[in-house]
Amino acid sequence: MLLKNKKYIKFTNQKLIPFIIKCIEQNMIKFKSIFIILVIIPLIVSSITYSQDPLIPFRTGKAPVIDGRLDDMVWKRAPSVTGFKTWTPDYGIDMAEKTIVYLAYDSENMYFAFRCFDSHPDKIKTSITSRDNIRADDWVCINLDSFYDQQSLYAFYINPLGIQADSRYTGGHEDQSIDFVWYSKGRIDSKGYTIEIKIPFKSIRFANKNPVKMGVIFERRISRRSEQGTYPPLSPEQADAWLVQTKPMIFYNVKQYKLFELLPAFTTSEKSTQNLGKLISEGRKRDISLTTKYGITSDLTLDATYNPDFSQVEADAGQVDVNLRYDLFFPEKRPFFLEGRENFKIAGISMGDPIQSIVHTRMIVNPLLGIKLSGKIGNKNTVASINAVDELYNNKNEKYAYFSIFRFKRALTKDSYIGGIYTGRDLKNSYNRVAGIDGRLRINKSSIFRYHSIVSLNKENENAPKAGGHALSLKYVYNTRRFFINLGIIDISSKFHTESGYITRTGISRATASFSPKFYPESKVIKRVTPSIFIAQTKDKLSNLYEYFNTLLLRLTIIRSSDITLSYSHSSEIFLSKKFNTSGLRISGNSQFTKKIFFKISFRNGKSIRYSTNPYQGRGNSAFAALIYQPSDKLNANVSFTYSDFYRESDSKKIYDYKIIRQKF
């Protein structure tokens, strides 16, 4: 229906999604036509924006001392909010314990204080631990949409002793590897606990305006009750659509920063080899590196690095690396690539999809030079780019590979957007180039449509012909308090290729559907029951064979932050043009059994494949167990065990078993 004021055209999800799917099934829309349609639809579909009364923090002339005590004069004058309501395990219920949040600021910092009441202070779950390791504790969180554009959130988590965790949330994905500079302190007392937080404006990106308008959702978790709540309350119709449910918050006369950092470094190393019982030096190596950051505006940042030193980056966690169909995935941990990397995520990707990322910066293995731009241009345009020179190992003909990555996103109404992406890896006589569009479209309060349409062009050497391919994904998600529905279509050609991303499989067409009703029994132990049905049908284009993955799952959410999941999959898989049985049973669970003991277990038994040049049917087991013992707030022990085995089905011969034990104190 076209309104007279022409503000928007309204489509219903009952008509739009079935129409697109029908056209694809009947081959009415070719790939090039789909590419055009996915550009046009987001520009004509929108929804109504409702205004809210904003929060206006108290502007203070004297900053509070961040010590966890709410005895500063600023907190007596600052406005406060309360009335937290749950969103886990159910929506809209008053939290069992009262929470009050106070808000203040000055020209350089935001200040927040939490008074978290607890009728049993001795049962508060907390720890003195490393940063980003507090998710099992009680905590509070400030979810901050610093541009108030409903596209992304900063999340600042603090446990009752002031230990921090932080993340960036965008497009349904939360990146917990990012660290920001901010300050917090917490204290436990006879009423519960108190927390003070200082967030410098220069640590985040925000609009270059006066006043500055942001969006916020305050959150609290009570571990032993399996309870999380927010202010403002999350709507049962919109479920966990955080980006469209923030409360506006206004700051006046904030100092606008032009950030500048210069970090030189000098490293020296010596390598020795053993020869006849003696260590023989192979010589010393000295390196100079330089990293700089320049804030072009408060919302646009330029980073550059020369010969960066990544020697202090945390090592990758151990993974079972035997009998794999595709390479292991290792997350990015290098600081230069972390900030702004959420901008490179594309829509239409879900867990388990063959395409996990179009930009995976771990593919830039040994950068000699890197330049990165990330931030906002105007109110609605997000830009990001990476240009890097990568030194190659064991390549006699080529010394460097040149990476060029560009990303653009245009914000639409609410959390909708349309975007474009380009990646290129160029050598002297070969290249790989990938380009396409993606988008996220909110159809109504409960429904999201996500998509991407991407093409690749590859040339392996100067004598090889060019090879092109495509990847298409259409996803529809409906999520409320009562139901979760997910429908999807994926098509990836056999010649689609990217050397800047992470892909597990090409040459397939796949249709998926899942349905999960949610039940909330009146029980003191079981808080939510979620049965699920998941169906996936895949055509392997190389063999023209079909595989299936049909799963029945039951998940129980119970007290003490506990979950139990039972699932059975009736499934098959095509590998090297042969069809194999991969059906199996999986059991998993985790629980904060007591304040001192947390455990997590998972076990799978079923059919599997021996991935080799001559594959064969097998069966096997895989298991994982972790135990955290915390005798006090200042001490904990962490032990984990990973196991995998494989038996050939024809003669029951054990081919391998694999164990990894990790301990941390």
Side-chain angles (χ1 to χ4, degrees), residues 477-490:
V477 177
Y478 174 87
N479 191 18
T480 68
R481 173 182 178 269
R482 283 295 184 184
F483 297 102
F484 176 81
I485 300 172
N486 193 333
L487 305 175
I489 298 173
I490 297 173

Side-chain angles (χ1 to χ4, degrees), residues 564-577:
I564 300 174
T565 303
L566 306 175
S567 67
Y568 177 76
S569 299
H570 180 57
S571 57
S572 63
E573 184 178 337
I574 309 301
F575 181 65
L576 295 184
S577 299

Side-chain angles (χ1 to χ4, degrees), residues 36-77:
I36 296 172
I37 288 173
L38 294 180
V39 174
I40 295 174
I41 290 176
L43 297 177
I44 61 175
V45 181
S46 64
S47 54
I48 301 173
T49 301
Y50 296 94
S51 62
Q52 299 184 59
D53 293 333
L55 299 173
I56 302 179
F58 171 68
R59 186 179 179 93
T60 179
K62 183 178 181 181
V65 178
I66 306 302
D67 58 4
R69 302 179 188 273
L70 307 191
D71 54 1
D72 299 272
M73 183 59 67
V74 62
W75 303 128
K76 296 179 181 180
R77 302 182 64 184

Side-chain angles (χ1 to χ4, degrees), residues 197-251:
I197 304 107
K198 179 176 79 172
I199 303 175
F201 284 110
K202 66 180 179 182
S203 292
I204 62 174
R205 306 292 167 256
F206 57 93
N208 189 8
K209 295 180 178 180
N210 186 27
V212 174
K213 189 175 185 180
M214 301 187 184
V216 69
I217 296 178
F218 300 108
E219 187 180 6
R220 181 182 178 185
R221 167 186 164 91
I222 304 176
S223 176
R224 68 182 184 276
R225 299 182 184 274
S226 298
E227 184 178 278
Q228 289 175 223
T230 65
Y231 176 87
L234 298 186
S235 163
E237 288 182 301
Q238 295 179 282
D240 58 353
W242 293 79
L243 294 172
V244 297
Q245 300 186 69
T246 60
K247 182 86 169 176
M249 182 169 57
I250 295 178
F251 302 93

Side-chain angles (χ1 to χ4, degrees), residues 129-143:
T129 183
S130 59
R131 187 184 182 120
D132 297 325
N133 192 37
I134 65 171
R135 294 306 176 99
D137 292 351
D138 287 17
W139 44 254
V140 298
C141 181
I142 302 166
N143 299 279

